């Protein structure tokens, strides 16, 4: 079964937020798609997430997501349907946004659209990782992990001076941020879970020591 | 028919070689950076296939609508190389198909002290050479020999290769 790192539970189902996407960054991406070579806004794109409807006609019945493109008076209305929107991983969204969308509106990818798309996907990845970190019970450890998220997003060289309890978890968090594959995120979740189990077995003195050590070893980032 | 393709990332860093037969995956050889960037996706491709977008036109009540859906291409399918090419482009990578006769020259280029961008430009120029593969092979072999024997002409030979690169790229731009 595929692990799910989907949208916030509180987001209504048929929204881009339910896919884990930032509406503001997505809007910036769609605007970039419709900018002409001279920098003018050519047309507008609206992307809506619709209720799942079994594909018919020429779409294979095995398709689990599809995008319908309709021309409007001032641009394109794109309707996205997925059987399990909360289970879509970054690769699925990269295919949707980075391949299907440009083709649906008849434009070629450019370095600018690529950069805008990466912002969308990176923000989703960051939000997913922060959500997992939110489950860590200790506030001090949680703060250290959030600090790693900030530094990883800045793409600084990530290296911890001394390997100790918690180091594996921090490396897994860094990898999950820099590599949005379906391997790195589950590995991070497992590392956080493992650390949480070990944490419960340590005495308070050891917990205090580890907390201080991790804060100290990440302060340079 | 066997084919070899070289994979580079957005910074022109060489990631590895993909060997295909009649379009289907035959073998993948990734270096350390390739393992880091592409390795996690490889197992997914082997299990589920490479994601590709298909387009169909639906006609409903006389209205034509474009519909795009995702399909997964098995690695043994003749469409694998095409799917990989599109996947690479979507991830900001470049897949360059290399004629079999150029492989030795490429392996020579890997041994020369070149930056990632220099090596990438060199292979692009080599691919653009219609009938000059043998000239490239000779130039690369000569540069390697000079380097390994600590010949004083080693720097000059490397410079000649870079001039060939510039010439080859200019020619490619002019014919594009």
């Amino acid at each position: 079964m595929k692990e799910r790192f989907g949208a916030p539970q509180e987001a209504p189902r048929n929204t881009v937020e339910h896919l884990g996407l930032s509406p503001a960054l997505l809007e910036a991406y769609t605007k970039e798609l419709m900018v002409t070579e001279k920098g003018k806004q050519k047309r507008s794109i609206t992307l809506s997430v619709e209720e799942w409807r079994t594909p018919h006609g020429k779409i294979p019945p095995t398709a689990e997501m599809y995008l319908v493109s309709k021309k409007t008076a001032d641009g394109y209305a794109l309707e996205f349907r997925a059987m399990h929107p909360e289970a879509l991983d970054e690769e699925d969204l990269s295919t949707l946004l980075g391949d299907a969308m440009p083709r649906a509106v008849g434009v070629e990818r450019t370095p600018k659209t690529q950069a805008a798309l990466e912002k969308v996907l990176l923000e989703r990845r960051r939000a997913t990782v922060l959500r997992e970190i939110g489950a860590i019970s200790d506030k001090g450890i949680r703060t250290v992990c959030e600090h790693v998220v900030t530094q990883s997003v800045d793409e600084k060289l990530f290296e911890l001076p001394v390997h100790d309890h918690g180091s594996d978890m921090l490396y897994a968090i860094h990898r999950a941020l820099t590599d949005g594959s379906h391997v790195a995120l589950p590995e991070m979740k497992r590392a956080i879970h493992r650390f949480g189990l070990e944490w419960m077995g340590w005495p308070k003195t050891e917990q205090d020591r580890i907390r201080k050590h991790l804060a100290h070893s990440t302060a340079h980032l | 028919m066997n084919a070899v393709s070289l994979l580079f990332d957005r910074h022109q860093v060489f990631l590895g070689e993909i060997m295909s037969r009649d379009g289907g995956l035959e073998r993948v050889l990734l270096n350390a950076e390739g393992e880091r960037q592409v390795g996690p996706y490889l197992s997914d491709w082997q299990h589920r296939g490479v994601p590709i977008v298909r387009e169909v036109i639906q006609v409903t009540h006389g209205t034509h609508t474009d519909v795009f859906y995702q399909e997964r291409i098995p690695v043994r399918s003749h469409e694998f190389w095409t799917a990989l090419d599109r996947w690479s482009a979507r991830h900001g990578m470049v897949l360059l198909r290399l004629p079999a006769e150029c492989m030795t020259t490429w392996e020579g280029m890997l041994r020369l002290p070149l930056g990632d961008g220099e090596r990438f430009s060199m292979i692009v120029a080599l691919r653009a050479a219609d009938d000059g593969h043998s000239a490239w092979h000779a130039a690369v072999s000569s540069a390697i020999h000079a380097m390994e024997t600590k010949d004083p002409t080693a720097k000059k030979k490397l410079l000649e290769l870079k001039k060939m690169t510039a010439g080859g790229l200019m020619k490619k731009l002019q014919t594009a």
Side-chain angles (χ1 to χ4, degrees):
Chain A
M1 190 188 290
K2 202 163 145 185
E3 290 205 58
R4 295 179 176 200
F5 296 97
Q9 293 302 309
E10 60 272 16
R13 195 172 161 81
N14 295 339
T15 60
V16 294
E17 288 97 330
H18 193 69
L19 302 179
L21 302 174
S22 153
L25 289 175
L26 186 61
E27 190 184 333
Y29 172 62
T30 56
K31 275 191 174 154
E32 200 58 60
L33 278 179
M34 299 312 293
V35 169
T36 64
E37 282 171 8
K38 291 182 182 174
K40 281 191 174 171
Q41 196 74 41
K42 202 163 60 172
R43 281 178 167 184
S44 70
I45 302 173
T46 54
L47 174 68
S48 62
V49 181
E50 304 290 331
E51 278 291 334
W52 173 249
R53 216 183 272 168
T54 306
H56 62 282
K58 293 178 184 174
I59 310 168
T62 48
E64 293 188 355
M65 64 176 198
Y66 58 93
L67 183 75
V68 179
S69 175
K70 293 177 181 171
K71 275 191 182 167
T72 61
D74 58 349
Y76 293 89
L78 306 179
E79 294 174 3
F80 177 65
R81 295 176 199 274
M83 193 187 284
H84 305 290
E86 64 283 352
L88 296 175
D89 61 21
E90 189 170 310
E91 184 75 330
D92 294 323
L93 290 169
S94 170
T95 307
L96 163 69
L97 299 173
D99 206 339
M101 263 185 80
R103 287 171 65 179
V105 301
V107 299
E108 295 281 338
R109 272 193 299 266
T110 66
K112 278 189 174 177
T113 61
Q114 186 73 23
L117 173 61
E118 278 167 19
K119 278 185 184 171
V120 175
L121 296 175
L122 186 59
E123 179 55 29
R124 182 181 186 268
R125 204 186 294 168
R126 202 182 75 91
T128 303
V129 170
L130 283 173
R131 219 167 19 255
E132 292 303 322
I133 288 170
I136 295 171
S137 57
D138 187 84
K139 185 172 184 293
I141 299 291
R142 212 163 49 239
T143 304
V144 168
C145 294
E146 286 163 358
H147 178 65
V148 167
V149 170
T150 310
Q151 302 318 323
S152 290
V153 169
D154 290 341
E155 290 184 17
K156 288 180 188 165
L157 189 65
F158 185 77
E159 203 172 314
L160 299 175
V162 177
H163 199 92
D164 200 340
H165 293 301
S167 301
D168 286 342
M169 177 181 64
L170 296 184
Y171 277 116
I173 289 170
H174 172 74
R175 264 195 307 274
L177 275 163
T178 52
D179 162 14
S181 74
H182 68 289
V183 171
L185 287 172
E187 269 181 12
M188 180 201 71
K189 195 180 179 192
R190 281 193 288 274
I192 291 174
H193 182 66
R194 255 194 321 269
F195 180 81
L197 288 175
E198 288 169 355
W199 180 265
M200 288 194 296
W202 288 319
K204 193 175 175 314
T205 48
E206 181 65 358
Q207 288 180 346
D208 288 343
R209 186 195 73 75
I210 291 167
R211 196 185 299 110
K212 275 187 193 149
H213 165 77
L214 290 179
H216 184 257
S217 64
T218 53
H220 71 287
L221 294 174
Chain B
M1 192 173 75
N2 287 356
V4 178
S5 303
L6 307 178
L7 186 65
F8 296 85
D9 76 4
R10 72 189 62 233
H11 303 296
Q12 298 166 356
V13 172
F14 175 59
L15 299 177
E17 298 169 6
I18 289 105
M19 277 136 281
S20 55
R21 181 197 285 270
D22 299 325
L25 178 64
E26 182 82 357
R27 209 157 45 115
V28 177
L29 285 172
L30 298 173
N31 58 24
E33 186 58 22
E35 273 297 337
R36 194 187 71 78
Q37 292 196 38
V38 182
Y41 296 99
L42 206 49
S43 60
D44 188 42
W45 296 344
Q46 285 165 335
H47 282 110
R48 299 197 292 161
V50 182
I52 197 172
V53 171
R54 300 273 198 212
E55 180 181 353
V56 294
I57 298 174
Q58 298 268 65
V59 180
T60 314
H61 307 303
T63 308
H64 288 73
T65 308
D66 292 327
V67 183
F68 301 82
Y69 63 93
Q70 180 178 270
E71 192 177 306
R72 292 258 176 179
I73 303 297
V75 295
R76 295 289 178 214
S77 161
H78 66 280
E79 290 188 276
F80 165 77
W81 193 92
T82 305
L84 178 63
D85 188 39
R86 282 160 59 172
W87 181 92
S88 306
R90 201 169 70 245
H91 287 264
M93 296 178 189
V94 176
L95 194 63
L96 295 179
R97 198 164 237 170
L98 201 62
E101 61 268 24
C102 295
M103 274 310 290
T104 318
T105 312
W106 163 247
E107 281 157 10
M109 285 178 184
L110 286 172
R111 291 162 62 188
L112 291 171
L114 298 166
D116 295 317
E118 287 175 326
R119 192 173 287 114
F120 178 78
S121 300
M122 222 171 255
I123 198 67
V124 169
L126 167 63
R127 286 174 80 243
D130 300 319
D131 54 359
H133 294 152
S134 54
W136 273 99
H137 182 75
V140 169
S141 300
S142 176
I144 289 173
H145 179 76
M147 190 182 72
E148 289 177 348
T149 56
K150 293 186 169 55
D151 190 313
T153 62
K155 267 191 184 171
K156 189 181 167 198
K157 295 205 165 152
L158 202 56
L159 197 58
E160 278 165 15
L161 263 177
K162 292 179 185 179
K163 281 184 186 168
M164 275 178 79
T165 303
L169 292 176
M170 189 58 71
K171 185 181 162 193
K172 187 171 168 66
L173 277 170
Q174 284 165 350
T175 54

